[in-house]
Amino acid sequence: MLKRLRERISLTDVFMWAVGAFLLYIIIRGSIATLVLGKYSARQWFDIAVSGLAQGSIYALIALGYTLVYGVLRMINFAHSEVFMGGAFTGYFAADYLNQIGQLQSQPVLSLLIVFTVSILTSVGISVLLERIAYRPLRRAPRLVPLITAIGASFVLQYVFRGFFGSQFKSYPEVDALQGNFTLMGDFTIGKIEVLVIISAAVLMLVLYTYVQRTKTGKAMRAVSEDKDVAALMGINVDAIIVRTFMLGAAMAGAAGVLYALMFRNVQFFMGFFPGIKAFTAAVLGGIGNIPGAMLGGIFLGLFESIGPSLFLDGLGIPAPYQMKDAIAFTMLVLVLIFRPTGILGERLATKKA
Amino acid sequence: MAVETLSKTKAPSAVPATMDFNWKTAGRIGFIGGILAVLVSVIGMVETFDGRDIIGGVISMGQTVVVALIFATAFMAADRSSKTSPLFHILGGGLSGLISAVMLALFVWVSQLVNLREIFVNVSPSLIAILTFDKELPAELSAAVIQLLLTGLVLGVVAGVLRAAPIKIRNIIFSGMLWVVAIGLLGELIRTLVTGRAIEDQVAWVLGGRLEKGLSVNGAVSIFIFASLLSFISQTFGARIGKEVQTRRAALPATTQRILNGVILLVVFLVLWQLPQYLGLYLSDVANTVGLYILMGLGLNIVVGFAGLLDLGYVAFFAIGAYVMGVATSSAVGDGRGQILFSLNWTFWEALPLAILVALFAGILLGIPVLKMRGDYLAIVTLGFGEIIRIMALSDYLKPNIGGAQGIVGIQPIILAGQNLSNPISLFHVVLIACVIVGFVAWRLRDSRVGRAWKAIREDEDVAAAMGINLVSTKLLAFGAGAAFSGLAGAIFASKLTSIQPGSFSFIVSINILALIIIGGMGSIPGVLVGALALVALPELLREFAEFRLLVYGVVLVMMMLYKPEGLLPEETHKAELHEDENIPAESHA
């Protein structure tokens, strides 16, 4: 009995469980300490949660691109973060122009729609080019090859944008209609921009989900992600579907780019890197290849990342806990991959197909 | 898409041989060439590179980039536009060159109509001046455009003629041109090397004087002639001589061969040992940077190249080595800026084993969680680890211990027998010895039982496990060995600078190392040297590249993966694996 148990549990597993238990202990201890000390008021917690939710919806939108592409090609489109950056960047030029001619303030709804359209179109264009030039020739290559190509393409895009538009931060114009807060009850307020971000992300995700579930193209996408060869035999033009998948993911990333820029008011050529990695984390968190999973993962990651530092680390007396925000996100990625490689909603991919 | 499929099916088909001119393909390639030429102009490459002349007063590096793009695409167009007729090669090349030039002319025209600079920061008047041969615009716009078109046409026709010429002549001319460009690029470097030496005057005749910016015209001509001659000789006799040498060497007894190899390596080592005396301070410093990258490259080569585990957070171990060295030897203890609260006050030599051991241990520790992951997941998780380490180094939490954003100052330099070895020239010897040791270890590991186990895992994990390879220990050994090499590099790096900051350990470094082993060929030890020279030494020497360094890395990564995934100096088995599905040898076009 004991021998069989010893055979089944290896030393590395024990080590991992120890690490997990230790982290869990930190989380619980930190949370209790923070709550007991009462460092933050209810209103502060609410603000932190709302900004986490808004950040999370942006992650979710980007994560959809990773998940969709992973679904059909089983590859991490590392350059997806640059698709997002490209959208935000061209969105800036549109917004800046509309601001100069006064449209942005006088007709904010129409102007924002134009900005969204411009950035979505750019993102879609970039990602179609990317697929055509960098990924399509490598359909049958060993797995590492497309990943390295994607990393290379990501750098090319970053530095081409840097060459085009310079390396300084460009600040998005303010939209007057989006300034200020809605008051909920008493002290509880919520920024108009955050409301816009959360609602538009929700709408976009709903549209995408319906598209994938209800339309014929969506059905074909699901078929291709199930089995490319069989899908081709069923008369599906696999290449065309793959391009559509890229376009769909890119459209979400383009919209996310504008939302991100509206929230943080800055664009720069390197802006895609961290949101990209986080969004990938979110996709894995939810179960990569799984669309509702990516949404859930994004929102979960956003919340975790914004509440985490104050909740777990502040109570432990760690100075400037918000600096650890990214570390918390990455730690979570590692933990999820170790203890639940399938993600929250996914099938078992990390070891089987990956 | 439609155009492409049409041309692909049409080209080799039964159309009469005299009629096979494929102008659509030529036009399309010319169009792509034009887009690329406009792109490198708009992102500022042409203007930045314009500061360095290839041939003084004749052609600058910036112009060379545009010319080379148009020329290369025209050559490709000439090649693809016809299978048979030399005339059609020339026509195709000319068409492609002309179309590329039309794109550039359009770009110049648009830049005159609208102020592109409001959006594209690099479209400056001086860029337009470079593209229009310094003509007065807008008065001479038409003249400039005509000259541009003519230049494109001539370039294209020349490319076409070269394509139509016999391959031997083509190779001779290409090697001549390549050498002119290469020596032109490195001219400044060679000039600084010979300054004050006996051969300065002779060199100045070829390269131009110390104050000039590029080759002299007669220098360029003589280099061209010399290189072409050399190429002619090597083409005519080279293959035969090479074969002769090889057969004779193979005929020698094994021990003699081994001694011969040893002697060659020893000579190379001695030459390298003497090198910094001639290089001077700056170049020795560049050589040291290259050496550190070779150390890291050799380490990552074990993880990625041998064992096939794509690690994107490799910089973490470099950072760990550097920080251990910092905390162990820093003399700046106190509460001030960049000072830490505690240090062991060791010497470099006492701290070095500790740094390597800690890095090795960290490699194993970070290896455990990713044991069961493959491919993409492994890449992202290791990237996450690298970022966690960097964030920790930056954080205020660990600031009392490792210095936070200010890093650690006052790290001990390398001192041996009372001599400070941290000046670039002495450090070169330290780095060289480290590279030799690490290279030797990597080479012996590759051919050992463990090395074969790594390769087996790389080829197929499940089969390897079925063959009785212990996946856990083999993988952890790869992570540990790779991390230890990197830790060594980090320790030397810290002592070299005597201060470290978290900024030196960003994700870019990991990508840099990855790119260099991919260029050289994954799993190939000489490949690491080639990769480090190409990706670290060259950008250091051509400082104009600095701004476009990562762009070039990206292009290199994509191009290598698309066209030569096995690298420049491939390892045999890996090459075979990457080309396994190509039953028929690929047709070599050019």
Side-chain angles (χ1 to χ4, degrees):
Chain A
M1 181 68 192
L2 203 71
K3 202 179 162 218
R4 267 187 64 197
L5 203 71
R6 274 240 311 271
E7 271 167 15
R8 284 188 53 200
I9 301 173
S10 67
L11 209 61
T12 51
D13 285 341
V14 173
F15 173 79
M16 285 328 300
W17 283 107
V19 170
F22 175 69
L23 287 172
L24 201 67
Y25 166 75
I26 286 188
I27 289 176
I28 292 173
R29 207 189 129 196
S31 314
I32 292 174
T34 311
L35 293 176
V36 167
L37 289 174
K39 286 201 167 195
Y40 298 92
S41 67
R43 199 190 140 221
Q44 278 168 316
W45 282 121
F46 180 77
D47 286 346
I48 292 173
V50 167
S51 81
L53 194 63
Q55 176 85 65
S57 349
I58 292 175
Y59 289 157
L61 280 179
I62 310 172
L64 285 169
Y66 284 102
T67 267
L68 286 167
V69 169
Y70 198 93
V72 293
L73 286 183
R74 298 273 178 274
M75 71 165 280
I76 299 176
N77 180 8
F78 203 89
H80 190 61
S81 48
E82 269 50 67
V83 172
F84 159 80
M85 178 269 292
F89 231 121
T90 39
Y92 159 79
F93 286 106
D96 195 46
Y97 175 73
L98 289 169
N99 193 33
Q100 277 172 25
I101 61 170
Q103 279 288 57
L104 192 63
Q105 309 307 343
S106 60
Q107 281 183 306
V109 178
L110 182 70
S111 313
L112 279 180
L113 278 180
I114 295 175
V115 173
F116 272 107
T117 318
V118 169
S119 77
I120 286 175
L121 286 179
T122 322
S123 291
V124 167
I126 293 174
S127 114
V128 168
L129 270 180
L130 199 64
E131 196 273 336
R132 183 70 196 81
I133 296 172
Y135 300 154
R136 195 177 295 177
L138 297 173
R139 236 6 97 67
R140 305 255 164 213
R143 296 186 57 92
L144 279 191
V145 171
L147 179 63
I148 293 169
T149 313
I151 294 173
S154 161
F155 277 92
V156 172
L157 283 170
Q158 267 180 31
Y159 283 84
V160 164
F161 268 83
R162 185 190 135 133
F164 278 169
F165 308 124
S167 58
Q168 321 83 324
F169 281 94
K170 297 196 182 292
S171 58
Y172 246 60
E174 274 182 28
V175 184
D176 290 341
L178 288 176
Q179 299 309 304
N181 297 311
F182 292 117
T183 310
L184 297 176
M185 14 169 209
D187 297 344
F188 289 85
T189 58
I190 178 166
K192 285 181 183 169
I193 289 188
E194 277 149 350
V195 173
L196 174 81
V197 169
I198 294 168
I199 289 179
S200 36
V203 169
L204 281 168
M205 286 189 269
L206 199 68
V207 169
L208 177 108
Y209 190 68
T210 331
Y211 183 81
V212 173
Q213 292 297 329
R214 295 288 161 82
T215 63
K216 219 170 173 181
T217 320
K219 207 175 192 175
M221 272 175 200
R222 283 179 287 141
V224 170
S225 79
E226 205 61 51
D227 191 321
K228 269 200 283 268
D229 298 327
V230 176
L233 287 177
M234 296 297 134
I236 293 169
N237 183 347
V238 173
D239 273 343
I241 291 299
I242 289 174
V243 173
R244 291 242 183 128
T245 313
F246 268 88
M247 289 167 74
L248 204 56
M252 295 294 137
V258 177
L259 294 177
Y260 186 91
L262 284 174
M263 222 166 105
F264 297 99
R265 305 272 326 284
N266 265 326
V267 287
Q268 196 230 7
F269 73 98
F270 197 64
M271 67 181 279
F273 182 74
F274 278 106
I277 300 287
K278 302 277 187 59
F280 176 75
T281 307
V284 173
L285 210 58
I288 195 149
N290 183 313
I291 293 171
M295 304 176 190
L296 205 66
I299 288 165
F300 187 60
L301 184 70
L303 282 174
F304 199 82
E305 193 187 274
S306 73
I307 295 177
S310 341
L311 188 61
F312 317 142
L313 300 180
D314 216 3
L316 297 174
I318 288 174
Y322 55 87
Q323 288 176 339
M324 303 284 197
K325 200 178 85 169
D326 297 342
I328 286 183
F330 291 127
T331 312
M332 198 155 82
L333 170 73
V334 176
L335 289 180
V336 167
L337 281 176
I338 293 164
F339 295 109
R340 198 175 157 78
T342 58
I344 304 171
L345 298 179
E347 48 169 327
R348 192 173 182 78
L349 268 173
T351 52
K352 214 169 86 188
K353 291 189 189 166
Chain B
M1 263 291 289
V3 178
E4 186 198 59
T5 42
L6 203 70
S7 62
K8 264 188 189 160
T9 48
K10 217 176 168 183
S13 70
V15 183
T18 46
M19 290 294 289
D20 76 337
F21 181 47
N22 206 331
W23 61 271
K24 273 185 189 160
T25 310
R28 197 164 49 94
I29 295 175
F31 181 73
I32 294 173
I35 288 185
L36 289 177
V38 172
L39 192 71
V40 292
S41 310
V42 175
I43 63 173
M45 233 179 188
V46 173
E47 198 187 338
T48 316
F49 289 178
D50 203 49
R52 192 183 285 264
D53 276 7
I54 300 288
I55 303 172
V58 179
I59 187 165
S60 75
M61 190 167 136
Q63 288 160 327
T64 311
V65 172
V66 176
V67 166
L69 271 175
I70 296 180
F71 186 83
T73 44
F75 186 83
M76 214 158 105
D79 186 61
R80 302 258 175 94
S81 62
S82 168
K83 288 261 169 205
T84 50
S85 162
L87 181 68
F88 287 154
H89 284 317
I90 297 171
L91 264 178
L95 181 67
S96 163
L98 187 65
I99 290 181
S100 304
V102 167
M103 307 278 295
L104 268 180
L106 267 178
F107 168 65
V108 169
W109 182 61
V110 169
S111 76
Q112 294 304 305
L113 288 183
V114 258
N115 183 10
L116 286 177
R117 204 174 186 182
E118 261 178 31
I119 292 180
F120 300 106
V121 289
N122 283 314
V123 185
S124 60
S126 52
L127 169 72
I128 302 299
I130 296 166
L131 293 179
T132 51
F133 315 92
D134 292 319
K135 291 254 187 312
E136 281 292 326
L137 293 181
E140 291 183 308
L141 183 64
S142 48
V145 165
I146 289 169
Q147 195 174 345
L148 198 58
L149 296 187
L150 272 179
T151 316
L153 186 64
V154 169
L155 270 176
V157 169
V158 171
V161 170
L162 270 179
R163 173 60 188 81
I167 189 157
K168 211 167 164 182
I169 295 177
R170 195 195 307 162
N171 282 345
I172 289 171
I173 294 178
F174 274 159
S175 69
M177 293 199 295
L178 265 179
W179 277 104
V180 171
V181 173
I183 295 184
L185 276 180
L186 298 177
E188 196 185 305
L189 175 72
I190 301 170
R191 271 198 294 272
T192 24
L193 274 184
V194 298
T195 302
R197 292 182 201 278
I199 48 171
E200 191 179 351
D201 288 340
Q202 286 87 324
V203 171
W205 186 79
V206 179
L207 295 180
R210 209 183 307 170
L211 297 174
E212 281 168 58
K213 283 169 65 186
L215 300 175
S216 62
V217 176
N218 44 13
V221 172
S222 46
I223 288 172
F224 184 82
I225 293 172
F226 188 69
S228 314
L229 256 172
L230 219 61
S231 156
F232 173 71
I233 292 169
S234 78
Q235 266 191 66
T236 327
F237 310 107
R240 210 185 317 150
I241 295 174
K243 222 174 200 174
E244 185 86 21
V245 170
Q246 250 178 12
T247 42
R248 285 217 188 149
R249 232 175 89 177
L252 291 172
T255 38
T256 325
Q257 272 190 51
R258 208 172 292 161
I259 291 171
L260 197 68
N261 283 343
V263 169
I264 293 173
L265 283 178
L266 193 69
V267 169
V268 170
F269 178 77
L270 287 178
V271 168
L272 283 176
W273 187 264
Q274 296 299 329
L275 206 58
Q277 289 179 21
Y278 302 98
L279 288 181
L281 283 181
Y282 172 65
L283 287 179
S284 298
D285 197 43
V286 172
N288 290 333
T289 311
V290 174
L292 290 180
Y293 271 98
I294 289 177
L295 285 179
M296 289 190 275
L298 286 169
L300 187 64
N301 197 30
I302 290 182
V303 185
V304 180
F306 294 171
L309 305 161
L310 184 59
D311 187 342
L312 291 183
Y314 190 64
V315 67
F317 309 116
F318 180 61
I320 287 172
Y323 269 99
V324 169
M325 181 55 76
V327 173
T329 71
S330 171
S331 57
V333 181
D335 216 0
R337 197 183 132 83
Q339 295 189 340
I340 50 178
L341 291 181
F342 172 76
S343 150
L344 293 171
N345 267 319
W346 287 2
T347 64
F348 172 82
W349 301 105
E350 288 167 336
L352 187 65
L354 182 72
I356 297 174
L357 274 179
V358 172
L360 182 124
F361 192 63
I364 293 174
L365 217 57
L366 294 189
I368 293 175
V370 296
L371 277 174
K372 288 180 188 156
M373 295 172 199
R374 293 181 192 180
D376 316 348
Y377 281 84
L378 180 73
I380 295 289
V381 169
T382 47
L383 193 161
F385 280 147
E387 282 302 311
I388 291 176
I389 298 278
R390 193 181 62 87
I391 292 164
M392 291 307 219
L394 259 171
S395 69
D396 285 349
Y397 172 52
L398 292 175
K399 190 171 175 179
N401 304 313
I402 58 173
Q406 271 108 40
I408 302 179
V409 296
I411 298 169
Q412 289 283 317
I414 306 172
I415 293 170
L416 184 64
Q419 271 192 311
N420 185 341
L421 300 184
S422 279
N423 61 317
I425 291 180
S426 315
L427 191 69
F428 181 84
H429 295 139
V430 177
V431 173
L432 182 62
I433 289 175
C435 283
V436 168
I437 294 172
V438 165
F440 181 76
V441 172
W443 173 57
R444 293 308 294 164
L445 276 176
R446 186 191 65 184
D447 294 339
S448 68
R449 190 182 175 80
V450 183
R452 289 194 302 274
W454 282 335
K455 278 181 221 165
I457 289 183
R458 181 183 74 196
E459 305 304 320
D460 193 320
E461 243 183 81
D462 299 328
V463 174
M467 290 290 133
I469 290 172
N470 183 344
L471 290 184
V472 173
S473 61
T474 315
K475 278 189 181 182
L476 289 185
L477 199 58
F479 280 121
F485 291 177
S486 187
L488 169 67
I492 297 178
F493 175 78
S495 291
K496 173 188 164 205
L497 295 181
T498 69
S499 69
I500 46 176
Q501 292 139 14
S504 319
F505 309 105
S506 66
F507 174 61
I508 307 292
V509 180
S510 300
I511 291 299
N512 212 325
I513 306 166
L514 182 70
L516 79 87
I517 66 170
I518 283 168
I519 285 259
M522 277 194 262
S524 146
I525 291 173
V528 173
L529 309 184
V530 173
L533 284 177
L535 285 191
V536 183
L538 264 187
E540 289 283 341
L541 297 179
L542 305 172
R543 263 149 294 148
E544 294 92 332
F545 268 121
E547 199 179 326
F548 300 103
R549 192 174 179 160
L550 286 158
L551 176 69
V552 174
Y553 283 6
V555 173
V556 161
L557 283 181
V558 175
M559 287 312 209
M560 290 300 279
M561 286 298 113
L562 288 179
Y563 298 112
K564 209 165 165 36
E566 72 273 14
L568 293 178
L569 280 182
E571 188 213 16
E572 285 309 314
T573 47
H574 198 216
K575 187 178 174 181
E577 174 204 350
L578 279 163
H579 289 278
E580 63 191 356
D581 46 346
E582 296 167 19
N583 329 354
I584 317 151
E587 241 184 283
S588 55
H589 275 303

